[in-house]
Amino acid sequence: MSMHGNEAEQALTEQVVARFANTSDARLRTLMQSLVRHLHAFVSEVELTEAEWFAAIRFLTETGQMCDGVVRQEFILLSDTLGVSMLVDAINHRYATGATDTTVFGPFYIEGMPERVYGENMAFTPGVPAIVHGRVLTTEGAPVANALLDVWQTAENGMYSGQDTEQPHGNLRGRYRTDAEGRYAIRTIVPVCYPIPTDGPVGRMLEATGRHPWRPAHLHFMITAPGHSTLVTHLFNRHDPYLDSDAVFGVKPSLQVDYCERAAGDANAQQFGFEGGFREACYDFVLERA
Ligand code: BEZ
Ligand code: FE
């Protein structure tokens, strides 16, 4: 490459950056100018070909076309598989507050799922029966009464209700509230590992780069309570084979739980209405004051 070519390329970058100089919103100016610099640096570093540029345009176009406005959000999937979602998570939770660790929201949350009472079963499809219970606490260790736990997980076929239209409405989804002592209890099935959707451009990217699409088994939580920051997190099954290679980089050591085997006659069996053996996972969540 001639020195002349290189200089012209740098001059172009500076010209584009300068074109944003009059952006009145200072934050938007920072975002746009930095985006241009990094995007240009990337294109220069890899010496992008015209065919590659066109392939990238096609890829992003298909990513948008794959979104259905309900449960399929291919851009979130792209952000997740490139580690961008977890980088944003890390930057926004840099300082230890004593609150429970956060992780990716993912694209499969649905608003307005049924409100369920303490210990109510949310599983209408087969699986290993389980109870997940514990408390919601403040960073000082006081119980948070009336916190809302919005929870969602896949069925044993690896699909979420809504995504899989065969499943009954609200299957493996629900909104639970803590009692006066901050306690919650969710009757469900043990989560299973599952692949993120691979029938779109993100799946092709994983395939082309030799990456697997699997997420370790987990239960999603979004926990809200007045006066506290919203907590978006998961509980992962300890010992899942994909804990070290989550396709979306969401695993944190503090978010792993054991689903312990319990016999029909064990302490909590009667309270939660189990007729045979079941699994029990216990976890206390800690919310940061808003
Ligand atoms: C999920 O856990 O639901 C999920 C997260 C990121 C990408 C795809 C799915
Ligand atoms: Fe999930």
Side-chain angles (χ1 to χ4, degrees):
M1 187 200 306
S2 71
M3 207 45 217
H4 181 78
N6 210 336
E7 275 166 24
E9 290 158 23
Q10 284 172 15
L12 175 64
T13 302
E14 290 313 317
Q15 197 186 0
V16 180
V17 168
R19 197 67 64 89
F20 287 100
N22 294 332
T23 307
S24 58
D25 181 329
R27 177 64 177 165
L28 180 61
R29 183 169 65 244
T30 301
L31 293 174
M32 293 312 299
Q33 291 185 327
S34 182
L35 176 66
V36 167
R37 282 193 198 285
H38 284 85
L39 200 53
H40 283 220
F42 161 72
V43 170
S44 295
E45 182 186 310
V46 301
E47 299 184 320
L48 200 71
T49 69
E50 284 163 334
E52 288 164 346
W53 173 85
F54 195 62
I57 296 293
R58 270 214 327 256
F59 179 88
L60 292 173
T61 303
E62 287 171 40
T63 299
Q65 287 167 341
M66 202 72 201
C67 298
D68 63 11
V70 189
V71 286
R72 190 63 186 267
Q73 227 303 355
E74 195 77 357
F75 273 111
I76 294 185
L77 221 49
L78 182 58
S79 165
D80 294 342
T81 51
L82 295 180
V84 174
S85 307
M86 284 309 288
L87 183 57
V88 172
D89 172 83
I91 290 164
N92 287 279
H93 299 92
R94 265 188 188 146
Y95 307 104
T97 59
T100 300
D101 280 335
T102 50
T103 188
V104 280
F105 191 54
F108 294 117
Y109 172 72
I110 301 179
E111 274 180 39
M113 286 296 109
E115 285 236 21
R116 302 192 188 282
V117 299
Y118 185 87
E120 185 177 333
N121 185 21
M122 67 169 190
F124 307 107
T125 49
V128 177
I131 189 81
V132 178
H133 66 137
R135 286 174 306 162
V136 177
L137 303 169
T138 67
T139 50
E140 290 83 42
V144 180
N146 211 31
L148 185 65
L149 297 89
D150 215 323
V151 302
W152 64 105
Q153 72 175 87
T154 71
E156 282 214 317
N157 68 359
M159 303 245 272
Y160 287 90
S161 59
Q163 176 192 22
D164 170 10
T165 52
E166 307 277 283
Q167 291 176 37
H169 174 80
N171 188 41
L172 295 161
R173 297 179 183 270
R175 291 186 292 158
Y176 291 83
R177 283 188 187 278
T178 55
D179 67 13
E181 279 85 53
R183 289 179 306 183
Y184 72 91
I186 302 155
R187 187 169 161 174
T188 184
I189 54 174
V190 177
V192 296
C193 54
Y194 67 88
I196 63 170
T198 54
D199 57 339
V202 170
R204 292 205 314 273
M205 180 273 287
L206 295 177
E207 172 81 33
T209 55
R211 289 178 53 182
H212 76 67
W214 290 82
R215 295 216 65 206
H218 58 271
L219 175 55
H220 289 259
F221 289 83
M222 178 162 68
I223 306 178
T224 51
H228 293 82
S229 295
T230 296
L231 175 68
V232 173
T233 196
H234 310 347
L235 293 181
F236 294 94
N237 303 21
R238 208 187 312 280
H239 309 305
D240 186 281
Y242 294 107
L243 274 184
D244 293 328
S245 65
D246 183 2
V248 304
F249 309 96
V251 178
K252 293 180 180 177
S254 64
L255 299 177
Q256 298 171 24
V257 290
D258 292 299
Y259 283 83
C260 300
E261 272 194 75
R262 300 287 183 241
D266 276 10
N268 286 317
Q270 208 179 358
Q271 183 193 357
F272 295 117
F274 291 106
E275 276 159 15
F278 65 102
R279 303 296 177 111
E280 179 178 11
C282 301
Y283 198 86
D284 289 344
F285 294 96
V286 178
L287 301 185
E288 193 186 351
R289 214 173 291 283

